Amino acid sequence: QGLERTEHEGFGGGNTAWEEEKLSKYQHSETRLLEVLEGVCAPSDFTCHHLLERSEEHVEQWWFHERQQRPDFFQWLCVDRLMLCCPPGTYGPDCRSCAGGPQQPCSGNGRCDGDGTRRGTGLCVCSPGYGGPFCAECGDGYYEALRNKSHLVCAECYQACGRCTGPEDSSCLRCKRGWVLHEHRCIDIDECGTEMAHCRANQYCINTEGSYECRDCSTACIGCMGAGPARCKKCNKGYWRDGAKCLDVDECASTEEPVCTGVQEVCENTEGSYRCVCAQGHIRRDGQCVEDKPPDAPEKGFFDDVTDDEVVVLQQMFFGVMICALATLAAKGDMVFTAIFIGAVAAMAGYWLSDRTDRVLDGFMKGR
């Protein structure tokens, strides 16, 4: 790809004659070789970079001395010099021909194992629909839709046919497993009606095209002949037979004595059994059914529900009391200022306690 990309390029300098005199023509120059090698490997392809570094001397040898006589770089380097590859259609250490020949390995209907490498077996791995050692035949389930000297087209048979002469259901020569041939048609075998089906004891058989399925019996059954509680061979524990059907036993109503004997326990019927649960309004705690109510909350103190706004009011009261106290001291006990002080304290206390009167009294009564 690098050779193709640089095929019509040049040095790109200002003096082509001088460049060609000093560097040789661009088509054969080291400059072009370096530009080609820069694009050989992806930046993250370390294997490619390692191989290129290992082959650097060989690359230069071909570029400067062998290119005219050996223009096929892949053949010269990879096949002849490094002996890492083989020509297409060959394989193995000695580059032997693949099955079917190197020109058209595996008749063009498969791939040769190891093709183009020094590894592999050379045997054909056929494409779907083809078979034989050289992939020159149609495989199982396919027929020859077209054949000439160089080409074979295989098409799929009718789904039940293992071998056939055409696509119709009446052109079968052999049937796939699970079918039986009758007058060139493949008829499905009912494995469930024979001893060919193998299901477990508590399963029943369902026939399918070319095979069968095993499905679980109803939980009401011990062994069954089909789906549902009406196809039981025997009723399971916790069920009783009513005609052809196995019905659930209601253990909670079937006995005169209570089934659940715990305090505040009641019986709850389930499919094939029962369980003891706590009566409505009760929960199970430590194995006992107790009344479902929240635990008693501790009584709140006088200041438990103080809000941020009330804290601000308390702070204002505190500073107000301090100001009144200082004013009273400044008046040296004058009765007028003392009355003002007492009135201010009473007003602020009344403002804060106006909506808390009941709690104040209750708090004092309880010593809180």
Side-chain angles (χ1 to χ4, degrees):
Q1 291 175 348
L3 290 171
E4 293 175 358
R5 176 174 52 81
T6 59
E7 180 68 28
H8 302 291
E9 292 185 5
F11 289 111
N15 191 339
T16 303
W18 181 89
E19 289 169 338
E20 290 185 355
E21 180 183 352
K22 300 297 182 182
L23 304 174
S24 78
K25 287 188 176 296
Y26 175 80
Q27 296 297 315
H28 309 288
S29 68
E30 186 176 1
T31 302
R32 183 188 179 195
L33 174 62
L34 293 175
E35 291 179 358
V36 170
L37 295 181
E38 284 178 358
V40 168
C41 301
S44 59
D45 192 345
F46 300 109
T47 303
C48 177
H49 283 287
H50 176 70
L51 180 60
L52 182 60
E53 183 180 353
R54 205 179 79 189
S55 309
E56 185 176 357
E57 292 184 6
H58 297 299
V59 173
E60 293 177 354
Q61 171 72 18
W62 176 81
W63 181 261
F64 294 114
H65 304 290
E66 305 282 348
R67 189 151 62 109
Q68 299 300 321
Q69 295 78 22
R70 307 288 298 277
D72 190 336
F73 178 68
F74 171 79
Q75 176 72 31
W76 184 86
L77 178 68
C78 302
V79 178
D80 299 335
R81 184 57 61 95
L82 298 180
M83 300 181 68
L84 295 174
C85 305
C86 286
T90 62
Y91 77 98
D94 302 324
C95 293
R96 296 182 179 180
S97 295
C98 290
Q103 302 303 318
Q104 194 178 24
C106 304
S107 307
N109 301 318
R111 63 176 180 83
C112 167
D113 181 41
D115 188 0
T117 74
R118 298 276 173 162
R119 301 181 299 275
T121 62
L123 299 178
C124 288
V125 181
C126 297
S127 302
Y130 297 88
F134 305 113
C135 302
E137 306 169 10
C138 291
D140 286 348
Y142 290 81
Y143 68 96
E144 291 186 6
L146 175 67
R147 178 189 282 274
N148 55 34
K149 292 182 178 180
S150 62
H151 201 58
L152 169 66
V153 176
C154 296
E156 196 168 4
C157 296
Y158 179 70
Q159 61 175 353
C161 300
R163 299 289 295 178
C164 67
T165 57
E168 302 83 9
D169 63 346
S170 59
S171 60
C172 298
L173 299 176
R174 177 168 55 82
C175 296
K176 292 181 180 178
R177 183 178 179 181
W179 307 78
V180 61
L181 188 65
H182 179 69
E183 296 181 354
H184 298 290
R185 281 184 168 86
C186 292
I187 310 300
D188 175 49
I189 298 173
D190 184 1
E191 292 87 354
C192 299
T194 67
E195 296 183 354
M196 298 175 65
H198 300 284
C199 295
R200 296 197 301 270
N202 212 38
Q203 291 183 325
Y204 65 95
C205 178
I206 290 290
N207 187 56
T208 60
E209 286 196 350
S211 187
Y212 67 95
E213 294 179 1
C214 293
R215 300 181 183 178
D216 292 337
C217 297
S218 167
T219 55
C221 303
I222 297 178
C224 65
M225 297 172 289
R231 304 298 304 277
C232 298
K233 294 180 180 178
K234 184 179 178 181
C235 293
N236 206 348
K237 183 180 179 181
Y239 295 85
W240 63 286
R241 185 174 290 279
D242 182 15
K245 198 171 185 179
C246 290
L247 301 179
D248 174 50
V249 175
D250 187 352
E251 292 85 355
C252 300
S254 61
T255 60
E256 296 181 358
E257 297 293 329
V259 178
C260 300
T261 57
V263 178
Q264 297 297 336
E265 276 189 341
V266 295
C267 178
E268 184 179 275
N269 188 54
T270 61
E271 191 71 22
S273 186
Y274 70 94
R275 60 187 174 199
C276 296
V277 298
C278 293
Q280 187 174 2
H282 294 74
I283 60 173
R284 192 173 296 278
R285 187 177 294 155
D286 298 330
Q288 302 293 325
C289 290
V290 297
E291 189 176 356
D292 185 13
K293 64 178 183 178
D296 295 334
E299 295 186 15
K300 294 182 179 180
F302 181 65
F303 292 101
D304 285 352
D305 290 335
V306 176
T307 65
D308 292 339
D309 292 338
E310 291 171 337
V311 170
V312 174
V313 173
L314 287 172
Q315 291 173 344
Q316 293 172 346
M317 287 173 58
F318 174 75
F319 289 117
V321 170
M322 293 298 297
I323 293 171
C324 290
L326 292 174
T328 302
L329 291 174
K332 298 181 180 179
D334 189 286
M335 290 303 295
V336 175
F337 288 100
T338 301
I340 294 172
F341 167 68
I342 295 172
V345 172
M348 286 184 286
Y351 171 79
W352 187 64
L353 296 172
S354 60
D355 61 340
R356 296 171 173 263
T357 305
D358 294 338
R359 289 182 54 192
V360 171
L361 294 176
D362 186 60
F364 281 120
M365 292 292 291
K366 295 181 179 180
R368 297 171 63 86

